[in-house]
Amino acid sequence: MRSPRFRFLAAAAAPLLLVVAACSPGTDGDDVAATSGDDAAVTSAGPAASLADVSVEKDGDTPTLTWDGQPFAEGDLPFVTYETQTEQVAAGDGDEVPETAEVEVRYLAVNGANGEQIVSTFENEETVTMDLNNESLFPAFLENLPGTQVGEALLMALPASEAFGPAGNPQFGVGPEDTMVFYLEIEEANEPLTQAEGEQVEPEDGLPTVEADGQSPAQIDVEGADAPEELVVQPLIEGERKEVQPGQLVRVHYTGVTLSDGEQFDTSYERGEPFEFQVGAGRVIPGWEEGLIGQTVGSRVLLVIPAAQAYGEAPEGADDAGSTATADPQAHPLEGEDLVFVVDILGAY
């Protein structure tokens, strides 16, 4: 039976996954011939409908869609479009969204084929970050969100060819010819972070000391630092953006050293780009999984991680370096080591 934990993670990631194409729509001749041309499309999916006939009604903060004054699912389905349509529902009064922004939105998505709701972030009062630098986002968002304003609300209808293409998306119940209808509210727009940004925090005594400029590996001094009995999470800079949640894709820059001697064993700066991982997918050590959840984007976080939450405690009989005469050749080189990381949280999606 599938783990309930992973069902939760899949649900947490669903709002973002729905607006990211699994692969680009087909571009070879056969695919284009099969999905282009109004006559062929009308025959297979039905006549085109107008987004101008769709309205948004709200019960408190919860939106529903109506079509020609009726609940969407009771309209003359399927609702079909063969090109992207957009309609402004409400004007915004905030900053203009730049082409390179990370845009915080709340949205409702409905399948035009059957009128069923696919995803709504309004129900959990959550937002989704759409990174307009991510070319995997649906083209409609990359093309239409820049130039809008924070506070704006809009409707968008996407033809199948501009969403998941001829494969559809069985995970969300989207067929190969299904139009997708979105209602979006733009909550915030920020330029992507390249380093931590926020309020400085005075660390507690007894921890490793850190010098960091956000552009090169952090200098971490472990002299006099206490060995951890449990995970230590110490913000050094407290960011002002949203909190990291289970299931999100997180982008970070980091530097790691061993607590025993302060030797650097890894840093993302030497690879020239941030590291990305999904929280809860098992790609990082447990100390990262636990330590970064709940921290805010923009934060710089000092993690002091006991060996048990890093690469495992040394086996019985090991010396201080974690080695034995019959060392396991499969053991991680950092087994038995307490580790220290400085992590800049640059994004969470």
Side-chain angles (χ1 to χ4, degrees), residues 63-80:
T64 58
L65 302 186
T66 62
W67 182 12
D68 286 331
Q70 300 183 72
F72 197 91
E74 297 176 13
D76 188 18
L77 297 171
F79 184 97
V80 179

Side-chain angles (χ1 to χ4, degrees), residues 169-254:
N169 190 316
Q171 177 183 355
F172 295 110
V174 179
E177 296 180 345
D178 294 355
T179 291
M180 297 172 64
V181 182
F182 290 86
Y183 169 68
L184 303 97
E185 294 180 356
I186 301 172
E187 298 286 313
E188 193 174 343
N190 297 296
E191 289 289 355
L193 292 173
T194 59
Q195 63 184 62
E197 181 180 284
E199 184 177 348
Q200 296 280 342
V201 177
E202 184 68 27
E204 294 185 6
D205 294 336
L207 297 177
T209 57
V210 176
E211 293 183 11
D213 60 10
Q215 301 176 39
S216 58
Q219 301 301 305
I220 305 170
D221 185 354
V222 301
E223 185 175 354
D226 299 330
E229 295 181 2
E230 58 185 20
L231 175 67
V232 176
V233 182
Q234 172 63 66
L236 303 175
I237 294 176
E238 194 168 274
E240 298 179 350
R241 302 189 185 183
K242 69 179 185 179
E243 292 184 357
V244 174
Q245 302 290 338
Q248 289 182 325
L249 182 70
V250 178
R251 187 175 78 246
V252 301
H253 259 314
Y254 70 91

Side-chain angles (χ1 to χ4, degrees), residues 43 63 67 117 125 204 247 275 313:
T43 301
W67 182 12
Q117 176 179 302
E125 298 183 352
E204 294 185 6
F275 170 62
E313 296 176 329

Side-chain angles (χ1 to χ4, degrees), residues 51-52 83-88 140 144 154-158:
L51 193 59
E83 60 183 7
T84 296
Q85 300 181 43
T86 63
E87 292 283 338
Q88 187 184 74
N144 289 285
L154 62 157
L155 284 164
M156 300 179 69
L158 280 61

